[in-house]
Amino acid sequence: RCLSDWSSDVCSSDLNKKVLLDKAIEEFKKGLDIFPDYFLTYQGLGEAYVEKKDYKNAIFYFEKLISNFNDGKAGAYHFLITCYEKTNQTDKQMAADDSLLKHDPNNTYAYINKGTVYGHKGDYPLAIKQFEKALSINPNEVACYKNIGIAYGFQKEFQKAVEYLNKAATLDPNDAQVPDFLGVTYMNMGDSLKAKEYFEKAKILGAGKKQQP
């Protein structure tokens, strides 16, 4: 088994997680001394630091991997997107999205992330374009329909918002956020009865999730 597989097992354990992660990092660093040209060691270190939520060190090792190796770059960019997001480095986050798409043009995660960033900036047309690109690759991406619906809502294009939110509800009828967003949309359209219907549905779905073990 490769080192990154072992890292995933260690990092998923609930028993003494911090101790296990520290041990994993210690072992990976020993491996780095022995095999400094093995990209999976950098990957393992990066992933372990992500699990520790130590994004600064995770960035260090993933950036090292990208600058020193040809292998593993797509995975490193994937993790870097998250790390840059967590450390509020939006420009680097977007650059990592673009780099990931150069290595993997059909990577829906990168398009969804770009759409989310544009949405947070209030650039809803660009956000919608990114989510639509993701849907052209995978038409079953629920998050895209939901986010497009939200973006149209912010643009006060409420009929389009309803259309996309209903598509999200069809694909994932257990997502409590979708009827909640539909309720908000109908409130903005002046249909309080319809809004109440969806708010109640969201409440029921939310309560059901809380009862799950």
Side-chain angles (χ1 to χ4, degrees):
R1 304 175 69 201
C2 73
L3 290 174
S4 59
D5 290 337
W6 177 73
S7 169
S8 298
D9 290 345
V10 170
C11 293
S12 65
S13 173
D14 290 329
L15 177 64
N16 298 320
K17 184 174 181 180
K18 182 178 183 302
V19 174
L20 290 169
L21 283 168
D22 287 342
K23 182 64 176 174
I25 289 167
E26 181 185 335
E27 294 300 318
F28 279 126
K29 286 183 176 178
K30 288 178 182 177
L32 202 60
D33 290 335
I34 300 167
F35 301 109
D37 296 327
Y38 193 41
F39 83 93
L40 284 173
T41 311
Y42 291 88
Q43 181 178 311
L45 278 163
E47 290 180 20
Y49 277 118
V50 168
E51 287 294 326
K52 284 190 70 175
K53 295 181 171 54
D54 183 346
Y55 301 111
K56 182 178 178 181
N57 273 312
I59 288 168
F60 174 81
Y61 284 104
F62 285 127
E63 287 183 346
K64 280 280 187 183
L65 188 158
I66 287 168
S67 63
N68 293 335
F69 303 97
N70 290 320
D71 294 320
K73 285 189 175 183
Y77 282 123
H78 188 101
F79 278 105
L80 277 172
I81 289 166
T82 300
C83 293
Y84 290 140
E85 177 188 5
K86 296 292 185 182
T87 53
N88 298 312
Q89 299 184 70
T90 305
D91 290 342
K92 286 189 174 183
Q93 182 185 349
M94 293 289 272
D97 281 315
D98 292 334
S99 296
L100 177 55
L101 287 168
K102 286 179 183 177
H103 288 270
D104 181 7
N106 292 322
N107 193 292
T108 56
Y109 174 77
Y111 285 119
I112 291 170
N113 185 69
K114 288 184 75 171
T116 303
V117 172
Y118 284 128
H120 287 160
K121 289 181 174 181
D123 193 338
Y124 302 116
L126 265 181
I128 289 167
K129 282 184 180 180
Q130 298 305 314
F131 294 130
E132 286 176 340
K133 286 178 181 178
L135 285 174
S136 71
I137 298 164
N138 180 5
N140 294 318
E141 282 282 1
V142 179
C144 291
Y145 291 107
K146 184 163 63 174
N147 288 332
I148 289 173
I150 293 167
Y152 276 127
F154 276 115
Q155 293 185 154
K156 302 188 185 306
E157 297 181 64
F158 299 123
Q159 279 303 140
K160 286 185 177 180
V162 168
E163 177 188 343
Y164 278 91
L165 289 169
N166 278 329
K167 286 179 181 178
T170 300
L171 286 168
D172 186 0
N174 296 316
D175 187 338
Q177 283 189 329
V178 175
D180 193 48
F181 290 137
L182 278 163
V184 171
T185 304
Y186 278 112
M187 281 290 288
N188 286 322
M189 294 170 74
D191 191 338
S192 57
L193 287 176
K194 201 78 170 174
K196 183 181 178 182
E197 174 189 333
Y198 280 105
F199 285 139
E200 287 177 353
K201 187 173 183 179
K203 188 176 179 181
I204 291 167
L205 286 173
K209 282 193 175 183
K210 287 180 182 177
Q211 291 173 5
Q212 291 176 359

